[in-house]
Amino acid sequence: FNTTTPTAKVFYTLNEAKPSLREDTNTMVFDTDAPVLIALEKSVRVRAVAQAENLLASGFIDFSISAQVPTPSLRVQNFVADISGVVPSGPDIGALFLDQDPAPGVVYPSMDNLIIIPDTEDIKLHVDLGNFGMRFSRWYRVTPGVDSSMGFAIQYELPGDITPEILNETWTRFEDPDPMDPDAHGIVINRNSTLRILGYVEDALPSAVMVVPFFIRRRCAAGTISSNVPNDGLEPCQECPNDTYLDITECRACPPDRPFTVTSASPTVDLCLSQCNPGFKSITGLNDINSNLPDGLCSECPLGSYQPNLRSVACISCPAGLNTEESGSTSISNCRGSSFINAGGFHSCGITASGTGLCWGYNGFGQLDIPKDFQQWEEDGIPKSGYVDFTWKAITAGSFHSCGITASGSAMCWGQDFAGKTIVPRQVFAWTSLSASPGHHHSCGISTEGAGHCWGDNEYGQANVPPGFEWHQISAGQFHTCGVTTSGGASCWGDNSYSQSDIPEPDTAWRSISAGHYHSCGVLVSGEALCWGSGLYEATRVPLEVGLWSSMSVGRFHTCGVTAVGAMRCWGSNQDGALNFPEHIASWAAVDTGLFHSCGVDAFGGGHCWGRSVYGVTVAPQETWQLA
């Protein structure tokens, strides 16, 4: 308060209650050399008077200051739909707070002032202006965000019905055809808005501006809980973490038989899922029974792949040239690699893509004469009989004999019958694999039960399969034999004159082992390769530039292998071109080495042989051959 009279003193009273209720007065005197500033926190009635010796009469002022306090004549009422505090159902529910005293920094009000409303883009409020009477012009302004400032008084000139420019802001006038109808005063606000309202009377300056912040809070969405303590179900919200679901007002761990969720914020226990087991995969790694995606449910890894882990989204492909015998494989050790073109002593055999068996090369002992199946049938009512080709699952070429397994699992051998090497054990009715020694006179095989059997020459004990094991693979060499069990263990038995039966003891399991004449080689499940035995011609020196291998096969003095990326490598003695594989082939599936030659199948099923080319042994028929 100030006065233009230097000697004047100013007295004023501040009535801290409503003017109509109290008349107590506190008088204070100030020096008027400078304006006096008084800090106000509430609406007050101010009365002031100036006194001086030369003043004939003292000027008196009496006015009120409104500080963000709605009065009965200007108040915010309910919304368009009279919900009377009833909480609507459904997922899209929000909450509106009407708060008269927001703390600095916009702190959410308490639940005491909560009104639940539908969660819409805009909210329409009703403002009761009836007590203002027709002498008032009513104006309002809505701004986004919550303004926690107090109400303030403004002096302005309002020429007629022209929209006022107040603090460089544009205000809107209430249009009310029926001043007594509160439903007609609709104001649309957005989330978290501030409403300012003023009433103008021509002879009442200044006019107070009422400031009402609206805190609009959404009800927490499905799968989320309120961060408030206690939990009131309203924002700010946080998602239920992975592997939990929303149970009314708290996030609970999924049940033990379905302990996982695809994502966070799972609204019900129905979204708790079991995980895919080893050998299976899905798009999420979970058995998502709620998904409409084609890969939502767990499915077995297809042939040629495996998966050792739980909750997998993909299967791991077997290295180039390897395949699995069944779907749902759980280990790389299930990836088996054997060429369907097999190199023997002086002949070769293979199986075409249609399952037909073919042998070529030297046939001095009938080793090329693949058995046929005698069948009887009826044609046009006339009984007929004859020999037809078997469909073969495996054929192996030995020194001067061959052995094979038909599609039904039966095994048979043919060719030179020295030392009984073609007499298949009769006590075994079904076989999974066979191996005929390409350099001497014994044969081996594995039954469908995993039992190992060898027959023929046993001068060095090469036919004495260690008992008590379930075998994954057996390879017959010249005078020794090696095998890998289904658990990844390995063993060699028979002649050990060159340490060809002394298997190294690596830290990981074996995938396959190939027994040759004087040395042996094997591939670990990790893809690393090791060779041992006679180092003549450096046949046991694995190329260092190759890190991982798919398969490996050992001949008399040479070794060949297919790398994990399908490249061919051969090393050792190059007698008769044993190492000269066709270098124009970019990708190989498998390789098999014989006595002086080798054969392989490329990634497209083409057959190729190289090395000593006597009796046409390296001239593979132009067929599409089965891949391992």
Side-chain angles (χ1 to χ4, degrees), residues 44-306:
V44 295
R45 181 181 180 185
V46 182
R47 290 181 293 177
V49 64
Q51 182 185 29
E53 293 181 356
N54 60 343
L55 289 181
L56 298 178
S58 295
F60 179 80
I61 60 172
D62 186 350
F63 64 94
S64 295
I65 297 178
S66 175
Q68 195 180 333
V69 178
T71 65
S73 62
L74 183 61
R75 55 192 173 89
V76 177
Q77 292 186 327
N78 286 335
F79 304 96
V80 174
D82 184 9
I83 58 177
S84 301
V86 178
V87 179
S89 61
D92 294 328
I93 301 300
L96 175 70
F97 287 92
L98 305 183
D99 184 69
Q100 311 306 332
D101 190 17
V106 187
V107 176
Y108 287 126
S110 66
M111 286 288 291
D112 297 337
N113 298 322
L114 173 64
I115 300 176
I116 304 298
I117 63 170
D119 182 23
T120 57
E121 288 297 326
D122 296 321
I123 300 167
K124 193 172 184 180
L125 306 178
H126 292 309
V127 178
D128 179 7
L129 302 175
N131 291 340
F132 272 96
M134 296 305 296
R135 296 178 59 246
F136 278 82
S137 297
R138 282 88 52 161
W139 302 83
Y140 71 93
R141 173 176 171 77
V142 178
T143 55
V146 175
D147 184 354
S148 60
S149 63
M150 306 295 283
F152 53 91
I154 301 175
Q155 287 194 4
Y156 61 94
E157 296 292 337
L158 188 61
D161 291 335
I162 300 176
T163 301
E165 294 290 337
I166 306 173
L167 300 182
N168 296 320
E169 296 174 345
T170 301
W171 290 62
T172 304
R173 182 172 181 172
F174 283 103
E175 297 295 340
D176 184 11
D178 185 356
M180 304 306 296
D181 180 10
D183 291 338
H185 307 288
I187 300 177
V188 175
I189 68 170
N190 295 312
R191 292 190 179 97
N192 285 4
S193 301
T194 299
L195 171 65
R196 290 181 172 85
I197 304 175
L198 64 86
Y200 168 70
V201 183
E202 293 182 2
D203 56 354
L205 294 178
S207 294
V209 175
M210 186 184 72
V211 179
V212 183
F214 289 91
F215 295 80
I216 301 173
R217 294 173 59 193
R218 292 186 54 146
R219 185 173 297 280
C220 290
T224 65
I225 60 172
S226 176
S227 302
N228 298 316
V229 179
N231 179 4
D232 59 9
L234 301 171
E235 63 182 8
C237 307
Q238 60 185 10
E239 293 182 343
C240 288
N242 283 343
D243 308 332
T244 68
Y245 68 97
L246 180 64
D247 183 13
I248 304 178
T249 59
E250 63 177 309
C251 298
R252 290 187 181 275
C254 287
D257 60 331
R258 295 178 291 149
F260 306 103
T261 59
V262 176
T263 62
S264 58
S266 296
T268 68
V269 70
D270 294 336
L271 296 182
C272 292
L273 308 169
S274 59
Q275 61 185 340
C276 295
N277 291 321
F280 289 77
K281 53 89 178 179
S282 75
I283 194 171
T284 61
L286 302 176
N287 193 39
D288 192 351
I289 58 177
N290 306 304
S291 174
N292 294 323
L293 299 174
D295 295 331
L297 296 175
C298 296
S299 60
E300 287 186 324
C301 291
L303 292 174
S305 65
Y306 65 97

Side-chain angles (χ1 to χ4, degrees), residues 219-482:
R219 185 173 297 280
C220 290
T224 65
I225 60 172
S226 176
S227 302
N228 298 316
V229 179
N231 179 4
D232 59 9
L234 301 171
E235 63 182 8
C237 307
Q238 60 185 10
E239 293 182 343
C240 288
N242 283 343
D243 308 332
T244 68
Y245 68 97
L246 180 64
D247 183 13
I248 304 178
T249 59
E250 63 177 309
C251 298
R252 290 187 181 275
C254 287
D257 60 331
R258 295 178 291 149
F260 306 103
T261 59
V262 176
T263 62
S264 58
S266 296
T268 68
V269 70
D270 294 336
L271 296 182
C272 292
L273 308 169
S274 59
Q275 61 185 340
C276 295
N277 291 321
F280 289 77
K281 53 89 178 179
S282 75
I283 194 171
T284 61
L286 302 176
N287 193 39
D288 192 351
I289 58 177
N290 306 304
S291 174
N292 294 323
L293 299 174
D295 295 331
L297 296 175
C298 296
S299 60
E300 287 186 324
C301 291
L303 292 174
S305 65
Y306 65 97
Q307 180 49 256
N309 300 316
L310 292 164
R311 197 172 180 175
S312 299
V313 299
C315 297
I316 304 171
S317 297
C318 289
L322 302 187
N323 204 349
T324 56
E325 293 186 351
E326 57 186 17
S327 58
S329 295
T330 60
S331 171
I332 192 173
S333 63
N334 300 128
C335 298
R336 303 187 177 189
S338 60
S339 176
F340 278 97
I341 294 184
N342 199 256
F346 296 96
H347 75 292
S348 303
C349 294
I351 304 174
T352 68
S354 63
T356 301
L358 296 175
C359 291
W360 60 97
Y362 181 61
N363 196 31
F365 298 94
Q367 60 265 46
L368 307 186
D369 298 334
I370 300 176
K372 294 182 178 291
D373 186 20
F374 179 79
Q375 292 185 357
Q376 295 178 334
W377 68 93
E378 198 172 280
E379 191 174 300
D380 296 331
I382 302 174
K384 292 189 176 184
S385 62
Y387 289 92
V388 297
D389 290 333
F390 281 107
T391 297
W392 295 92
K393 186 166 68 174
I395 290 183
T396 176
S399 54
F400 298 105
H401 74 294
S402 306
C403 295
I405 302 175
T406 67
S408 64
S410 300
M412 57 192 76
C413 294
W414 58 95
Q416 186 189 51
D417 190 25
F418 181 85
K421 62 183 177 181
T422 60
I423 303 175
V424 180
R426 293 184 177 180
Q427 72 271 23
V428 180
F429 297 100
W431 299 80
T432 61
S433 67
L434 290 175
S435 175
S437 169
H440 209 59
H441 304 296
H442 76 291
S443 307
C444 296
I446 302 174
S447 71
T448 53
E449 292 80 17
H453 302 270
C454 290
W455 56 96
D457 183 33
N458 197 29
E459 180 181 357
Y460 296 93
Q462 64 266 40
N464 297 334
V465 181
F469 295 99
E470 183 177 347
W471 295 93
H472 165 69
Q473 179 244 344
I474 292 179
S475 173
Q478 184 185 29
F479 299 122
H480 76 294
T481 307
C482 295

